[in-house]
Amino acid sequence: MYRPLHDGWTLTAVSDEVDIAGIPAAVPGCVHTDLLAAGLIDDPYLDDNESRLTWIGRTTWAYETTFDWSGAQDAERVDLVCAGLDTVATLHLNGAEVGATANMHRSYRFPVRDLLREGANTLRVVFTSPYTYAEGQRARLGDRPGAYDEPYQFIRKMACNFGWDWGPTLVTSGIWRPIGLHAWDGARLSAVRPQVTAEGRDGRVEAHVTVERADGDGPAAPLAVTASVAGVSARALLAPGEREAVLTLKVPEPELWWPRGHGGRPLYPLEVRLAEETASGASAEGAPLDSWRRRVGFRAVRLDRSGDGFTLVVNDVPVFARGVNWIPDDCFPARVTRERLVRRLDQACEAGVNLVRVWGGGLYESDDFYELCDRRGLLVWQDFPFACAAYPEEEPFASEVEAEARDNITRLAPHPSLVLWNGNNENIEGFADWGWRDRLGGRTWGAGFYFDLLPRLVAELDPARPYWPGSPYSGSPELPPNDPARGTVHIWDVWNREDYLRYAAYRPRFVAEYGFQGPPAYATLRRALSDDPLTPASPGLAHHQKAVDGAEKLMRGLRAHLPAPATFDDWHYLTQLNQARAIAFGIERFRALAPHCMGSVVWQLNDCWPVVSWSAVDGDGRRKPLWYALRRAYADRLLTFQDGALVLVNDAPGEWAGELAVTRRGLGGEPLAEERLAVAVPARGTLPVRLPARLAEPGDAAKELLTARLEGHTALRFFAEDTEAALPEAEFDAVAEPVAGGARVTVTARTLVRELALFPDRLDPAAEVDDMLRTLLPGESVTFTVRSPGGLDLAALTAHPVLRCVNEPRP
């Protein structure tokens, strides 16, 4: 019997400086959200409120609740089960210490039967200040370099809690995952770890089962363990004193689980049951002692390293990773509901994504996250939570890292979506290239985790999945880690120093991180900031730009491509547009290189708060223009101009064939030269088509462009940047009409209209548009559908600054 303990909690500051006592507390939750609910702090996501809340992470806090317990509920064993405590906690039941924790990333179980009383019982959980603990460990072990001047590597906690170049410094404490009492008799299933694979046409399950007995390993009745899936069963007996069994099930010809775009995602219920064995040799009748159920999928996964490449292969089919990086979706993870994950992961799927990388500065995500990825065919690359710092390998960290890894490898083993374990984010690169070696002076930095402990644990507990020591990484500690010619690469010179056209100079094998910034939606900014007026340099907006020199880098990246913004509205539209263009340019480059390059993982899908960042979906869940660019660049079929050629990319299961038309045109749409040819691109293939000089070389670069069309797919290439092109002043007709649930906007071009965008959230914060960033030639039309539960001003919907284009008339 499991009894949640989520009610009746209070929160108290254990501090002479902070006078907060006995306020209501939500469990699961954290101190910040409790203080916010009590009206004791301002929303840390608004304006610069975050700056005044650093005291929370430097305070010790106590959670306390009282619950009733009856002897009638007694059992041989009663355990206090803590799915997640953040982070350094001491637990007391009725005044007696139950246990202590120092790791946000793992679960805990404490026996408490002898401490329970008839009637009222008091449970108290005291959380030591994360800073006090981390700074104490740093003083004891010696400092270690990191990307930020915060001690996040000295505590097993979500690193980005301490601030990042896209996130606020909001250092949390609290009971962040469920907590409760588990009463049980006889024995229980303490761990079930299925290894589920496909071998030829058959499926195979090895269910590794560990049992805990109520009386320890002393004399007891034999136990029977059974496992069943897809109509196949297996049974094992555990004699007194035995704790582990492996049950093997061979399933004939199951339907295979495939990534998105490659096939279906069938899931099969796998059940494991534990019962006492009777003297007659049959399991005792009635309810089992314990049971475990999950849905599993049959598939085989491996990492192909041939030729120094990096290719994920599922069911013997190489998969081009159309990926995004995932960060925690909220600084306060207990607020991330299943419904919110559904929306965010659906946004990934709708953008053509087939892989999500769970980044190492965050968390092992919730069971809901991986189960939703299973159902959607989203491949999951899982970082172990180490990021951008040298980590100590001494105790207590070595034991904590092993415990958390064992806990989470076992927890995530059933999920077919999980296809790769990755040791860390950028730490190998930091040691090799960021000057850490000299600063460390021989102190440990995490190498023992990435090259020894973690691969050993994966080999022991999850041998059917590949392990990679870190990203970027070239395949050997002796090689430069961020070499595009080998393994995985992170490309950050573009955002930090170079124009985005530099992506074309890369010929990588797999790009695991690259990104470009843009601001969030207007409605998100207006909710978060009270700046009046709102300008690119206003104080609130500056506070919500965490990247070093971020505002200047936005403008530097804009200057070569788009006109200088004259107003805040211009700045907002043009920087969002430039972000979308930069990432689309990179994606198209890397996809055109397939199969030499087999992965593009954009930084990043989501945000944890309203901020100027690299995300495609902002902190309020609104889709930025980048999201629409992702959807086009990650489509199954893509036409892209590359290096004097047109490359046809076909990441679909069938051949792509038809008549390709490539036309050099004037900006008025008139054809100047044209080539038509029959093409056929094989499934999962690319086809470069070299362009003849009469197409590739313009007569006047400022006044011409190329168009390519094949089977409803279109690509455009302007010979000059918008700052140098002779773009006409846009003339078009725009008509808005009401439809059920919103409006329909039809735009018909009378001249070239460049990068047409509609921003209905300026009129209704809940409004969304189905498409964006469309370039029209004279005579072409596009229709946008706007969903708006609050209703819209139709006249405003077709006027500045809601309807925008690059070459719009200037006042």
Side-chain angles (χ1 to χ4, degrees), residues 515-580:
F516 205 92
Q517 269 202 357
Y522 182 82
T524 299
L525 285 176
R526 281 286 50 157
R527 185 189 72 82
L529 305 178
S530 58
D531 294 356
D532 188 14
L534 184 58
T535 74
S538 59
L541 187 58
H543 186 80
H544 287 245
Q545 166 59 273
K546 295 294 186 176
V548 174
D549 296 326
E552 171 53 31
K553 289 174 182 176
L554 276 174
M555 291 307 299
R556 187 209 68 220
L558 190 72
R559 291 184 188 111
H561 302 284
L562 289 162
T567 65
F568 173 81
D569 292 333
D570 290 347
W571 174 88
H572 186 256
Y573 163 59
L574 293 171
T575 53
Q576 284 194 328
L577 169 59
N578 205 48
Q579 177 191 30

Side-chain angles (χ1 to χ4, degrees), residues 741-764:
R744 183 185 298 120
V745 177
T746 300
V747 179
T748 302
R750 287 184 267 119
T751 66
L752 175 78
V753 179
R754 187 79 167 115
E755 304 283 18
L756 191 66
L758 191 64
F759 298 103
D761 63 287
R762 286 175 169 268
L763 305 176
D764 172 12

Side-chain angles (χ1 to χ4, degrees), residues 49-68:
N49 295 339
E50 165 214 353
S51 302
R52 291 179 288 279
L53 302 178
T54 55
W55 58 273
I56 299 173
R58 294 191 174 277
T59 301
T60 292
W61 298 92
Y63 281 79
E64 188 170 301
T65 189
T66 299
F67 61 92
D68 286 331

Side-chain angles (χ1 to χ4, degrees), residues 42 58 83 193 366 638 716 775:
D42 293 324
R58 294 191 174 277
R193 178 172 46 84
S366 67
L638 174 71
L716 302 177
T775 293

Side-chain angles (χ1 to χ4, degrees), residues 482-513:
N482 203 26
D483 180 359
R486 301 180 175 94
T488 62
V489 65
H490 294 189
I491 300 177
W492 283 113
D493 58 347
V494 167
W495 164 250
N496 286 309
R497 298 180 300 279
E498 305 285 348
D499 186 85
Y500 69 71
L501 297 180
R502 179 170 167 76
Y503 286 135
Y506 279 91
R507 188 173 167 80
R509 307 310 303 270
F510 191 107
V511 190
E513 270 191 29

Side-chain angles (χ1 to χ4, degrees), residues 557-625:
L558 190 72
R559 291 184 188 111
H561 302 284
L562 289 162
T567 65
F568 173 81
D569 292 333
D570 290 347
W571 174 88
H572 186 256
Y573 163 59
L574 293 171
T575 53
Q576 284 194 328
L577 169 59
N578 205 48
Q579 177 191 30
R581 283 186 178 180
I583 296 306
F585 185 89
I587 292 173
E588 291 186 21
R589 166 65 178 175
F590 305 140
R591 291 192 69 188
L593 291 172
H596 178 84
C597 175
M598 284 300 287
S600 154
V601 189
V602 171
W603 187 271
Q604 65 214 63
L605 173 67
N606 59 327
D607 270 324
C608 60
W609 75 314
V611 64
V612 181
S613 87
W614 297 265
S615 72
V617 177
D618 73 21
D620 282 3
R622 295 187 176 92
R623 300 176 296 184
K624 295 158 66 170

Side-chain angles (χ1 to χ4, degrees), residues 153-202:
Q153 66 268 55
F154 293 96
I155 184 170
R156 293 309 297 152
K157 175 177 172 57
M158 184 168 79
C160 60
N161 249 188
F162 290 86
W164 223 258
D165 56 3
W166 39 258
T169 303
L170 295 168
V171 180
T172 57
S173 294
I175 304 169
W176 77 286
R177 279 181 169 162
I179 186 170
L181 294 171
H182 180 203
W184 54 283
D185 294 291
R188 72 178 187 91
L189 296 167
S190 61
V192 177
R193 178 172 46 84
Q195 295 175 16
V196 186
T197 59
E199 299 178 349
R201 300 179 66 182
D202 294 331

